[in-house]
Amino acid sequence: MPIIQFDSNLATLSVDRQILIKMAAAADLNAEQWLLKNFDKADLKDLSEDAGFEKLADIVSDNDLDAKDVYWSVLARYISKADFACKEPLYYQYFQARYNLYEKEVSCETAIPFNVLSRYTANNIVSVDPKRLRDIHVVFASKDDNMMSKFGHISLRLVICPQENSTDAECDANLYQHIVLGYMAHVDDIKINRLKGLFGDYKAYLYANSFMDVYQKYTISEFRNISSMPLKLSQQEREGMLRSLAEIHWGFAGDYKFTHRNCSSLMQLALSAMWPNFSDELSLQTLYWRPDSFFQALQTTAIATSSALTDLELAEEGGFYFASTEAIYNKAFDVVNEAMKNHRYSSLSDYLSTNPILRDNAVQENTGYIARLLNDAYLLEAQLLLEELSLVKFESIMNAEMGYFFSKYGMAEIKEHMHQSMSSESYVAFSECVLGPLRERIKPIKRRDGIPDSLELASESTHKSCQTEDKAKLLKQVNLYLESLDPEAWADVKTAVYYWAEIINNINSYKELGNK
């Protein structure tokens, strides 16, 4: 009897696993390797990729690989891997529908890992317990003036509960553990190239981010609104979608084009592969390349709870709508500007663009205002809010200016210069907190065959977490040493770094006032 038999009439596969394992061991190979080496010798001419597989591979795998090669590689894992259903659930469903090799369902590990990016860590593996996943929302961030986001951004939000038996309110309020999954271009340059984005020269990945980082980016840094609409999923559907999202998160890589192969169209393709109710919805048969159009279309269907967003005031209370913080900061500005009396700013933008040293000098010279800060907690909070917003804005400016400098000289030359200039301790910090995140940002992202296990990932979480105060001290040193490489080119970076550090000082000074 052959090791593998395919009944073309019944479209079923049968495998003699004992012989397969013996043959592989005799060749000093594992079962998957043996199959890949011997597929062409077996009478399997009726087995081949079809249009359905090609469509699925475009959603799940690295698109640089030939669909035929992907087919045989995945087929080998389907036949040989006992945990294939757990690691590659979308491919498993496809092959089971075609070949029906397995009769029993496999019990999978509880924890499902995601590589959650954040502001200060380049590699943060977070395991999600499916039993603590209460909801999955479609998240829409409103448009802004940037060319790449003038129609908004679409993503998915995993509403994760603090405990398995938590109430809905406790789950919704557990924002620091919520994860947002969205397709974005992997910018493998120090600074983004718009032409590359238009012509598909950047790779698309399904990124995972902490919800609070997403909240800060959109509502604070960019003054955009966030709408979060629950999908109508059973518990079984939620858990299945979670594992399928993880498969795509770890395995997919494809061309990203800002105009039509983007966060919106890629998310629709993924949802259609993961969720039959989505693919059956007639109004969603059109592939919407505009995120705002897709979100509007989804709101009219029966598979999403659009009523959560009917009353935005109630939606904000319930955690379904997060308004731009612009109004809050404008109110804080009005409070501060009115109280200062002797030194007024024309607008919030005027305040934020003013040299932070001059801002602090104006406060220190105004004894009446200092007295009010000491006795008016509301005014002090408003002042702190403005400085913290200024910190966020200047951090973006600082990173952009540093990006221009690094793109001019290149990583290798800067690394060598800093290694020769800095002490060993400072260079280690520089490497971990500056070079490390930059490398992670621009290097190709490792793709995997399915969801990795915890042991495989444990050895990869090696990057130091660089918090704001640590980074501020480090950047003062970095500022000095990089300036010596090219003082003229570094001038704009130096100014941004200097102001950024001064804003930290301002914030600390106001916090000290609050403790008096």
Side-chain angles (χ1 to χ4, degrees), residues 51-271:
F53 181 84
E54 291 177 355
K55 182 178 178 181
L56 183 60
D58 190 53
I59 295 168
V60 177
S61 294
D62 187 335
N63 295 169
D64 282 344
L65 304 176
D66 184 83
K68 184 178 182 67
D69 294 334
V70 174
Y71 172 83
W72 291 108
S73 179
V74 180
L75 179 62
R77 296 196 296 275
Y78 170 67
I79 293 171
S80 64
K81 299 286 187 181
D83 58 354
F84 181 79
C86 301
K87 287 184 171 293
E88 303 183 62
L90 287 171
Y91 276 135
Y92 176 79
Q93 291 169 21
Y94 166 84
F95 278 112
Q96 274 293 93
R98 278 192 76 178
Y99 304 134
N100 195 31
L101 179 60
Y102 299 97
E103 297 179 358
K104 297 180 180 179
E105 290 188 6
V106 179
S107 178
C108 301
E109 288 184 15
T110 300
I112 300 174
F114 291 90
N115 184 13
V116 180
L117 304 180
S118 67
R119 293 173 66 201
Y120 301 114
T121 55
N123 188 10
N124 183 27
I125 306 303
V126 176
S127 294
V128 177
D129 182 350
K131 301 300 181 185
R132 288 173 53 202
L133 177 66
R134 183 59 50 89
D135 279 312
I136 297 178
H137 294 192
V138 172
V139 173
F140 175 68
S142 62
K143 65 180 181 179
D144 69 1
D145 295 331
N146 190 299
M147 183 190 75
M148 277 77 77
S149 51
K150 64 180 180 179
F151 299 116
H153 181 74
I154 208 90
S155 55
L156 296 178
R157 172 185 169 197
L158 306 181
V159 179
I160 300 168
C161 302
Q163 297 176 342
E164 186 177 332
N165 59 353
S166 301
T167 65
D168 287 346
E170 289 170 336
C171 298
D172 290 336
N174 191 39
L175 295 174
Y176 283 90
Q177 290 187 339
H178 292 187
I179 294 172
V180 174
L181 296 165
Y183 287 95
M184 292 186 291
H186 174 63
V187 181
D188 54 356
D189 304 302
I190 298 295
K191 59 181 180 178
I192 194 166
N193 183 314
R194 291 186 179 183
L195 287 178
K196 290 179 71 172
L198 287 172
F199 291 110
D201 291 330
Y202 288 130
K203 281 294 183 185
Y205 299 98
L206 183 64
Y207 281 96
N209 294 92
S210 70
F211 176 80
M212 293 310 296
D213 277 353
V214 170
Y215 173 82
Q216 175 173 297
K217 170 181 168 59
Y218 291 132
T219 69
I220 299 176
S221 297
E222 300 175 6
F223 287 157
R224 296 161 70 180
N225 303 317
I226 297 175
S227 300
S228 189
M229 183 169 59
L231 297 174
K232 293 179 181 178
L233 300 163
S234 67
Q235 180 177 332
Q236 183 178 5
E237 287 174 327
R238 283 197 303 272
E239 293 184 14
M241 190 178 290
L242 177 67
R243 197 169 289 277
S244 296
L245 285 167
E247 180 182 5
I248 298 171
H249 169 67
W250 291 107
F252 170 77
D255 294 339
Y256 193 100
K257 297 181 180 180
F258 294 135
T259 53
H260 61 279
R261 186 174 164 85
N262 54 22
C263 65
S264 178
S265 59
L266 289 169
M267 184 61 73
Q268 290 166 78
L269 292 172
L271 286 169

Side-chain angles (χ1 to χ4, degrees), residues 249-466:
H249 169 67
W250 291 107
F252 170 77
D255 294 339
Y256 193 100
K257 297 181 180 180
F258 294 135
T259 53
H260 61 279
R261 186 174 164 85
N262 54 22
C263 65
S264 178
S265 59
L266 289 169
M267 184 61 73
Q268 290 166 78
L269 292 172
L271 286 169
S272 66
M274 294 185 291
W275 189 22
N277 287 357
F278 183 92
S279 56
D280 292 342
E281 185 63 44
L282 292 177
S283 62
L284 298 175
Q285 300 302 309
T286 300
L287 195 61
Y288 297 95
W289 65 266
R290 282 181 50 163
D292 54 353
S293 299
F294 171 44
F295 191 69
Q296 288 167 10
L298 189 58
Q299 285 180 294
T300 67
T301 69
I303 61 174
T305 311
S306 59
S307 58
L309 296 169
T310 303
D311 185 323
L312 292 185
E313 186 175 340
L314 291 176
E316 196 162 7
E317 292 176 5
F320 303 109
Y321 182 73
F322 303 84
S324 160
T325 57
E326 186 173 12
I328 296 172
Y329 287 106
N330 275 323
K331 185 175 182 180
F333 169 75
D334 290 340
V335 169
V336 168
N337 212 32
E338 176 64 28
M340 291 195 76
K341 297 185 183 304
N342 297 332
H343 190 100
R344 297 288 188 89
Y345 300 90
S346 61
S347 64
L348 176 60
S349 296
D350 181 29
Y351 180 95
L352 295 174
S353 62
T354 300
N355 182 325
I357 299 173
L358 296 180
R359 288 203 306 259
D360 186 57
N361 288 342
V363 170
Q364 299 305 323
E365 293 167 1
N366 191 337
T367 55
Y369 184 69
I370 290 287
R372 286 199 60 180
L373 285 174
L374 285 167
N375 295 287
D376 188 338
Y378 184 73
L379 176 61
L380 181 60
E381 181 64 25
Q383 181 68 73
L384 268 169
L385 274 175
L386 294 183
E387 288 299 315
E388 288 169 349
L389 176 61
S390 180
L391 182 69
V392 170
K393 298 290 187 182
F394 262 97
E395 183 171 294
S396 298
I397 294 170
M398 179 184 66
N399 289 338
E401 296 291 357
M402 195 174 289
Y404 281 103
F405 186 86
F406 273 65
S407 63
K408 177 180 179 179
Y409 281 97
M411 297 283 282
E413 184 174 347
I414 289 175
K415 180 180 177 181
E416 179 62 26
H417 173 77
M418 297 301 278
H419 189 267
Q420 293 177 1
S421 304
M422 303 179 82
S423 68
S424 298
E425 183 180 359
S426 295
Y427 179 76
V428 168
F430 169 73
S431 181
E432 291 176 335
C433 298
V434 178
L435 286 184
L438 277 173
R439 281 196 217 97
E440 289 296 325
R441 176 181 161 185
I442 64 177
K443 77 177 184 181
I445 297 176
K446 181 180 179 181
R447 300 292 80 194
R448 304 167 191 265
D449 295 328
I451 305 168
D453 57 42
S454 55
L455 291 177
E456 180 183 350
L457 293 170
S459 61
E460 299 181 14
S461 296
T462 57
H463 295 290
K464 178 184 176 182
S465 177
C466 303

